[in-house]
Amino acid sequence: MRLIIMGPPGAGKGTQAKYIAEHFKIPAISTGDIFRANVSEGTELGLAAKRYMDAGEYVPDEVTNAMVRNRIDEPDAEGGFLLDGYPRTLAQVEELDGMIRFTGHQLDAVVCLTVDRDEIVSRLLQRAQVEGRADDTEDVIRRRQEVYLEQTEPLIEVYKQRGIVVEIDGMGEVDDVTARIFEALDVVPES
Ligand code: AMP
């Protein structure tokens, strides 16, 4: 399966991505996690990404696209993958189309988690305490939501027009959300 999980920051993408990846035996590829690992290791990529991440802005497409291309080329992603946090811009959608076309496969589904705004902010503030992420301060949280609405939410429409969006209610208990996702994805034919 070649899948994407989308939704606003705080919708629970990372949590659900792990369960989906396990279920379909594919790697969950989180661009945010890869960036954070590079920041903590002090790599060149980490240095390039850090100032954008700390401000709640997107890392430039060229940097992000190259990173995803390399990751998708790894042997464990040959049989499929789940992307969490990518694509986030229209340019990234086009780039990903090219990467997948090159493998001779198709994108099977885009899981969109829907949650209400108040719930999201409280989840993010809670995560800030638990994980201590540098980009979970209130101002940055607000900026990340704005950037999502401006640049990423419109992508859902692009995928809806292709008929591959699976909309999932992301509210409530984690296990219930996972069950809804599995139920919806189990009827999606693999390309
Ligand atoms: P996340 O953990 O997915 O919320 O990502 C954390 C931060 O990493 C984002 O706020 C961006 O600064 C950066 N980032 C992650 N994925 C992307 C992407 N696809 N395009 C640009 N920046 C990204």
Side-chain angles (χ1 to χ4, degrees), residues 41-152:
E41 287 161 21
T43 67
E44 211 170 299
L45 176 65
L47 288 175
K50 188 174 187 316
R51 64 193 169 100
Y52 298 101
M53 297 174 75
D54 286 349
E57 305 292 337
Y58 287 168
V59 177
D61 284 334
E62 313 80 71
V63 176
T64 310
N65 286 335
M67 182 180 87
V68 172
R69 186 178 287 277
N70 287 336
R71 180 61 189 87
I72 281 181
D73 275 346
E74 296 279 320
D76 67 334
E78 229 169 73
F81 48 78
L82 167 67
L83 293 169
D84 161 15
Y86 183 93
R88 265 171 149 118
T89 65
L90 208 49
Q92 293 179 12
V93 169
E94 286 164 11
E95 193 75 14
L96 177 64
D97 284 343
M99 292 182 217
I100 295 180
R101 204 178 311 123
F102 186 76
T103 67
H105 293 277
Q106 280 179 24
L107 199 54
D108 297 301
V110 178
V111 175
C112 290
L113 292 180
T114 57
V115 278
D116 78 48
R117 265 187 92 93
D118 294 343
E119 169 85 17
I120 283 181
V121 174
S122 86
R123 278 189 196 183
L124 286 172
L125 288 171
Q126 206 181 341
R127 184 170 79 188
Q129 286 181 332
V130 177
E131 295 179 15
R133 268 176 59 160
D135 58 353
D136 272 346
T137 62
E138 206 160 341
D139 283 353
V140 178
I141 287 174
R142 202 169 307 122
R143 182 61 194 146
R144 282 165 57 219
Q145 302 290 347
E146 279 171 13
V147 174
Y148 173 80
L149 288 176
E150 280 163 22
Q151 301 204 43
T152 303

Side-chain angles (χ1 to χ4, degrees), residues 12-28:
K13 296 188 295 291
T15 306
Q16 296 300 335
K18 290 197 180 70
Y19 294 125
I20 300 170
E22 244 169 58
H23 183 76
F24 289 105
K25 300 185 172 54
I26 50 177

